[in-house]
Amino acid sequence: MNLEYSTEQTLLADSVERLLSQRRATDRRAIWAACAELGLLALPFPEDMGGLAGGNVEAQIVMEAVGRHLADVPYIGCAVGPGAILGLCPETLRLRELVAAIAEGSRTACLAHEEEHARYRLAHVETRAERTASGFVLNGKKTGIATIDGVDELIVSARLSGAAGDETGIALFLVPADLPGVRMRTFPAFDGTTLAIVGLSDVALPPDALLASDKGALAALDRAEAASLSAVCGEAVGILEAMLDETVAYLKTRQQFGGPIGRFQALQHRAAEMYVALEQARSMALLAAVSVDLPDREERWRMLAAAKVQINASLRFVGQQAVQLHGGIGVTEECRVGRCFKRTAMIERAFGDTFHHLAVLDRLGGLEGRLPRTAPAQANGRAA
Amino acid sequence: MNLEYSTEQTLLADSVERLLSQRRATDRRAIWAACAELGLLALPFPEDMGGLAGGNVEAQIVMEAVGRHLADVPYIGCAVGPGAILGLCPETLRLRELVAAIAEGSRTACLAHEEEHARYRLAHVETRAERTASGFVLNGKKTGIATIDGVDELIVSARLSGAAGDETGIALFLVPADLPGVRMRTFPAFDGTTLAIVGLSDVALPPDALLASDKGALAALDRAEAASLSAVCGEAVGILEAMLDETVAYLKTRQQFGGPIGRFQALQHRAAEMYVALEQARSMALLAAVSVDLPDREERWRMLAAAKVQINASLRFVGQQAVQLHGGIGVTEECRVGRCFKRTAMIERAFGDTFHHLAVLDRLGGLEGRLPRTAPAQANGRAA
Amino acid sequence: MDLSFSHEEIAFRDEVRAFIRDNLPADIRAKAGRVAHFDKADVVAWHRILDARGWAASHWPREHGGPGFSPVQRYIFMEEMLRAPTPEPLSFNINMVGPVVYTFGSDAQKARFLSRIRSLDWWFCQGFSEPGAGSDLAALRTSARREGDEYIVNGQKIWTSTAHVADWMFCLVRTDAAAKKQEGISFLLIDMRTPGITVRPIITIDGAHHTNEVFLDDVRVPVANRIGAENRGWDYAKFLLGNERTGIARVGLSQGRVSRAVSLACGIEGLDGPLTDDHGFRRRVIELEIELKALEITALRIIDRQRRRNDGRPDPASSVLKLRGAETQQASAQLLLDVAGRLGAPLDADLAALGGGFAEAQGAAAIHLGARAATIYGGSSEIQKNIIAKGILGL
Amino acid sequence: MDLSFSHEEIAFRDEVRAFIRDNLPADIRAKAGRVAHFDKADVVAWHRILDARGWAASHWPREHGGPGFSPVQRYIFMEEMLRAPTPEPLSFNINMVGPVVYTFGSDAQKARFLSRIRSLDWWFCQGFSEPGAGSDLAALRTSARREGDEYIVNGQKIWTSTAHVADWMFCLVRTDAAAKKQEGISFLLIDMRTPGITVRPIITIDGAHHTNEVFLDDVRVPVANRIGAENRGWDYAKFLLGNERTGIARVGLSQGRVSRAVSLACGIEGLDGPLTDDHGFRRRVIELEIELKALEITALRIIDRQRRRNDGRPDPASSVLKLRGAETQQASAQLLLDVAGRLGAPLDADLAALGGGFAEAQGAAAIHLGARAATIYGGSSEIQKNIIAKGILGL
């Protein structure tokens, strides 16, 4: 057991913190370039592709700072997810070049996997890929994509065979965003971040666009999902910290009935409960980070599901308390806590919400496997 | 809509309150005699058998006072339950005499229906009744019987046919407690009340011991269960009142850190939450009382299940808070709140616990029937 | 004891239901349950339809233009509107300033204001809270200095909902700086077109411009627009805040949200089939249904008690309704967004055009975010607990 | 970052597990998890078995007879005992008075007391709380008047657990009535056989005689039995209360209860088949498992931090462990009784002989009722929240 940051991890934390505390969150492109300069964009990619082979703790370190500063940096969708996927794909010259370009910030890629009817199920892919004489043709729609404006490459999951939900038949493709038939529309989510929907109409791809198929593709998606879930747990911890700090500061300064409201014991006790929720979330984020690479699929998803359920609960409790303890100002756009609250609601449903992960744990007989299972095990709970 | 007590109900409430506040809870027989004197024992029986045909509100009025005074009066098991059952049985001379004797306190009867493996399921009867040339022979074991010492008659459910859990084949018998083969053992429950287990070994009964069979028996048991659930909701309200009153009084008098602890806002807010829980429980007790006689079985059990779930939640919350706010003294036998807490734990599992009633509501598609049903409707949820 | 409505009450409920069905404009109906706030135009339109039927001011006495509803009828009327849902008659006019005017106003004030308040010819907003006076309202500092027939008002109000669309503001001002906190406050009606008034929007986390800051800079208000006696405004404010709180649980609103959540869930496939089979979801629905049923009966019990007491004084037990009502509004809004899942993410209304799922989930996030204010505005949950602890439990 | 135990730590865990398996007496094992408190004889028997192995005082330094465990080893050791469960080494001796004696005692006191404390030759109880001094401990009034080489002690202690079986009591007394609250308190070791001591039982709601009131009436205590300096007792008490709190979450105890609840549920048929299929039950188990996992990691994080700081000062974050630990102990006890259902009703132990169900459920009610004290004793949950609010958040 060793729960101390290494020297490198401490340096990483310091430099990300410095980067995000200096920049205004408005210019997403500039922040992205700065991330590249710091080496953050190389971090999630494997060394043999020219990446820095950072682990899940490193990704959480980055995301914790992102959360703390409420930065709108699509680090998970454009770095953590692609890194996890490409790390499981056979190394090719084209991928090496792409990773190098991503790492230096000159090109961008994002994962385009989610679909409208997926509801957190990993294998729910309706987008079809047909083999043709000259390669593949893709048709379908991808939603909820966390990306950067003008992204260059999409990593798209599509189905070569089978029906939506089947664990077999899925393939992964590298799709340049400017190909004919690719229509991307970005839109603002309620928390102020940017999401995208991509329509794919008869998108023709050469044979080497295929990154992985079948078991390989599912394994890569599973790993990306696990790594992303872990990373978003880091972001959650950062937001929880920010909300607690803001609230404690507010309790100390806000005057009412002739003194700071922080002198009221009822409010002190609620702040203490918020602290407890933060500490428990921190522990479960740690659990998530060390569980992403567990070889046993069921064990892995037990731990990840438990982490997300607990972190969602902490987000909900701390978010509600932070807003409530701020009173009227807490529900305004100009208040940091109000904006944090919106982000919590988005993170709660990133990579599986509480309904989903409790159902996963239910299937698997609970976190400790004490209970009889309720259904044939479909390990990460993402299959239909 | 009319939520005011009638003059008779107000008088009843006053007289029960007077009775129980004057007597020490120790002499159960003496209290029982006093109940007879007040007419309380005639209340649950139908007029045509010589009863007073009191309703479910009246039973709650009695039980609310029982709860408030933590009295050990088996009014539900020895009056409400028998009253509900006998009211659905054909009137006979023998029953008229029995009811008259129960009403004046000279004889006692109790319901002996529960079994070890029943787990709140109404139709779970393993006790067997065999028809013989001279009547019936009963074999089996009844548990969890709320009764009075030296009870004279048992109203026993036994199965003429079918397997445990079948809705058909159940019959009800009147069994003198002193018959050969009837072995009753009373024992103290953890809340200080008395419960009994009855063993039935080749108990021979004459033909006229049969009170009801099949649909009639099940309907009578269902009605007894419903009336008992409603009555115990009244007891719960009385206990909730007592715990809130005790706690508020304690907060006002207990000195710590240089003043009464009731000046701490954190504790005031918890007392306020206790009050809310009491008011919500009062509302649901009312719902239970007016729902016992709803003709539609599903509608009836939706309302009763909802009432019990809410009241159990109030009991748990208020009980825990009352003990916690009392500190060390709260967990002692000499403290009223400690004794109340034990009673709450017993009431929570009387006539169905929260697991059970939530499962009933789940089956029936929720309280408002919005959700798809999960299983073939087994209305009061008591069948296997 | 009888919890069910009488035949007359049921007939009345059916009458209200039919009226809503037949008269709620189609464009308003289409928005129902999908928006956190109705637009002014919608509120005005529906308010006037109700007023034409004589129902806009449902709890005003007949002599002042009310319909003469019984307490139970008032409750039924409000709940039916919430359950539809329709826009609600403007609370500032109907529940707040109207009763103050007909109870404490002069005959001239009644003649001038009452029918316009009732018909919503004049839209009122509430100028109570200030930056340093929220829960501690009596700490307000906006001053009104007398000059002849006018007060010169200076100060700042905050959380002034609908100020940007209002014609008038009823306002607490300090007319005696030397007096103790609750004393020295007066109650003024201020025409929002008066020079010196600046309204600055406050955007809330649901993305809406619903509330405002209002700056008052040498605003001249005729003394004739003061309600009641000078320096007695606190009494009128207390009356106003305690008035008609039985509808405050808004059970119908939450019930409507639960219904929408369940019907949305019917169309969503999750890990184990339709989301309506998910045990976590079912449990949340059932627990909310139980809580709402208890709350509904608690509201009826309080109404019944008021009917019998009939002294018009606020019942501190109605704090239970505000407290649990706000919590269940939030829980039902949260449930709706939880069902919507990732489909509830877009803020962009145009996305509704994109796909079935996104269109179905429209407004879920805004309703959830908007609902957070329910435990803060109108006497925060903390204030309600204080009222219960002190007013009922004597702590 | 590595959350898993090292090979050495796993080997140690296996060693502890094997030791418990091979050495826990069968009669004690039979009671495990079925009683709220072990009897004195059980505690002594197991304590001495541990002591013979050198493990009774798991966190004492080697020089005072401790085994020289690392913080992680101590944690593993405690959790394995809780998970079995075995009786625990007597906390009053091992966690409380022992460290005070070896830290602040004179050489003569160390020589006389330490090994007897460690081996449980002398059973200690704690004389801190008084009727007017519970959470507000410094308000204590028991007085000690100096007369030559003796103190004359008068007063009353309450919540003195095991006083009726104890040989000694460590006790806070007021030696300077004129001094301010926290000053003027001294720390005495009192032989329970001294004339003037009366122990009155307090029966708790679990039906147990576990705690007591202790009346001290002109009790003569040699000055030689005072630890440290006169009037400095508050410092020693604070040291004692802050000492070794990482085991305080008692995760293993709660895990054991959850396991017993699930295995009990396996044998129970409910509305929809085995109770282990009941969704409400499954959800409660899973939620408890998650909470306990988080708590376990939080405990390890605090241990890891202590190991690095290595300053021996109490970490205010350990209040999280006490707070959530006590709550999960209660939740797991409650779950157990909820599973037991009506079979958990009998208080009468003989009933176990009656039937399978009653025997299986034995002790569930007593464990549930006994667990209510977990959030009260040893620094109530309210006190823990005060510590977090002030000590960590600076409120």
Side-chain angles (χ1 to χ4, degrees), chain D residues 19-94:
Chain D
F19 182 83
I20 292 171
R21 186 189 61 225
D22 298 341
N23 292 280
L24 185 64
D27 57 330
I28 297 180
R29 185 183 304 280
K31 291 184 199 173
R34 294 171 180 275
V35 291
H37 306 283
F38 284 100
D39 298 336
K40 178 177 185 178
D42 299 332
V43 174
V44 171
W46 180 240
H47 194 118
R48 296 211 171 131
I49 291 167
L50 288 175
D51 194 45
R53 179 66 183 80
W55 285 355
S58 63
H59 64 284
W60 290 17
R62 220 184 267 278
E63 59 196 286
H64 299 305
F69 286 167
S70 73
V72 177
Q73 283 181 316
R74 295 203 296 258
Y75 177 82
I76 290 172
F77 176 74
M78 282 302 298
E79 288 297 320
E80 286 301 317
M81 283 197 297
L82 288 167
R83 199 178 277 248
T86 71
E88 291 166 64
L90 189 65
S91 180
F92 300 125
N93 283 34
I94 300 303

Side-chain angles (χ1 to χ4, degrees), chain D residues 26-333:
Chain D
D27 57 330
I28 297 180
R29 185 183 304 280
K31 291 184 199 173
R34 294 171 180 275
V35 291
H37 306 283
F38 284 100
D39 298 336
K40 178 177 185 178
D42 299 332
V43 174
V44 171
W46 180 240
H47 194 118
R48 296 211 171 131
I49 291 167
L50 288 175
D51 194 45
R53 179 66 183 80
W55 285 355
S58 63
H59 64 284
W60 290 17
R62 220 184 267 278
E63 59 196 286
H64 299 305
F69 286 167
S70 73
V72 177
Q73 283 181 316
R74 295 203 296 258
Y75 177 82
I76 290 172
F77 176 74
M78 282 302 298
E79 288 297 320
E80 286 301 317
M81 283 197 297
L82 288 167
R83 199 178 277 248
T86 71
E88 291 166 64
L90 189 65
S91 180
F92 300 125
N93 283 34
I94 300 303
N95 296 335
M96 297 181 177
V97 75
V100 168
V101 170
Y102 66 65
T103 307
F104 302 107
S106 65
D107 287 342
Q109 288 170 334
K110 289 182 204 171
R112 182 173 179 212
F113 286 103
L114 264 191
S115 78
R116 290 181 168 114
I117 287 172
R118 203 204 63 233
S119 67
L120 205 48
D121 274 0
W122 285 343
W123 181 296
F124 270 80
C125 63
Q126 179 190 44
F128 278 17
S129 295
E130 299 185 5
S135 289
D136 185 12
L137 184 56
L140 65 89
R141 294 190 303 184
T142 294
S143 68
R145 179 170 39 87
R146 181 90 177 245
E147 258 191 38
D149 286 346
E150 290 181 331
Y151 289 108
I152 317 295
V153 179
N154 280 284
Q156 183 192 349
K157 295 290 175 182
I158 196 167
W159 315 126
T160 320
S161 292
T162 75
H164 57 301
V165 298
D167 305 298
W168 287 82
M169 171 164 69
F170 57 91
C171 191
L172 292 181
V173 296
R174 192 162 291 286
T175 36
D176 182 354
K180 276 191 298 177
K181 242 178 157 188
Q182 277 82 354
E183 295 159 24
I185 292 172
S186 297
F187 192 109
L188 301 186
L189 306 184
I190 303 180
D191 186 331
M192 290 297 282
R193 291 165 310 181
T194 320
I197 297 180
T198 311
V199 176
R200 194 183 78 82
I202 298 176
I203 306 301
T204 42
I205 52 174
D206 54 356
H209 173 199
H210 184 71
T211 195
N212 305 275
E213 286 179 287
V214 177
F215 298 88
L216 299 130
D217 188 16
D218 285 336
V219 176
R220 294 182 166 266
V221 180
V223 170
N225 288 357
R226 186 192 71 223
I227 300 287
E230 193 172 72
N231 297 332
R232 297 293 302 277
W234 187 252
D235 295 339
Y236 314 142
K238 271 202 318 191
F239 165 86
L240 178 155
L241 293 172
N243 198 31
E244 186 57 21
R245 298 183 64 201
T246 49
I248 213 166
R250 303 165 73 83
V251 171
L253 180 70
S254 300
Q255 291 280 18
R257 286 175 184 165
V258 175
S259 291
R260 190 178 162 210
V262 172
S263 73
L264 186 56
C266 284
I268 292 176
E269 284 285 317
L271 189 63
D272 293 305
L275 192 57
T276 46
D277 288 357
D278 180 274
H279 302 297
F281 170 71
R282 294 177 69 90
R283 199 51 53 101
R284 291 246 321 263
V285 169
I286 291 171
E287 283 171 353
L288 249 173
E289 288 178 336
I290 294 172
E291 186 70 22
L292 288 169
K293 175 61 86 177
L295 196 56
E296 184 188 349
I297 300 173
T298 301
L300 293 174
R301 286 174 48 227
I302 291 174
I303 289 169
D304 183 69
R305 200 156 58 204
Q306 283 179 340
R307 181 170 60 179
R308 282 182 276 132
R309 285 198 330 195
N310 203 21
D311 62 358
R313 279 186 314 172
D315 185 339
S318 55
S319 285
V320 175
L321 304 181
K322 171 65 169 68
L323 192 59
R324 277 287 181 276
E327 287 167 2
T328 44
Q329 285 160 49
Q330 293 176 337
S332 56

Side-chain angles (χ1 to χ4, degrees), chain C residues 382-394:
Chain C
E382 289 74 14
I383 294 287
Q384 303 305 328
K385 288 181 197 170
N386 290 346
I387 291 172
I388 293 170
K390 291 184 201 325
I392 300 178
L393 305 178

Side-chain angles (χ1 to χ4, degrees), chain A residues 18-50:
Chain A
R18 215 172 313 119
L19 166 64
L20 293 174
S21 57
Q22 283 163 359
R23 306 243 167 200
R24 288 235 131 239
T26 42
D27 187 354
R28 302 171 85 222
R29 269 285 175 185
I31 293 181
W32 197 252
C35 288
E37 244 171 81
L38 266 185
L40 304 186
L41 303 187
L43 215 46
F45 294 91
E47 272 183 55
D48 54 9
M49 287 186 181

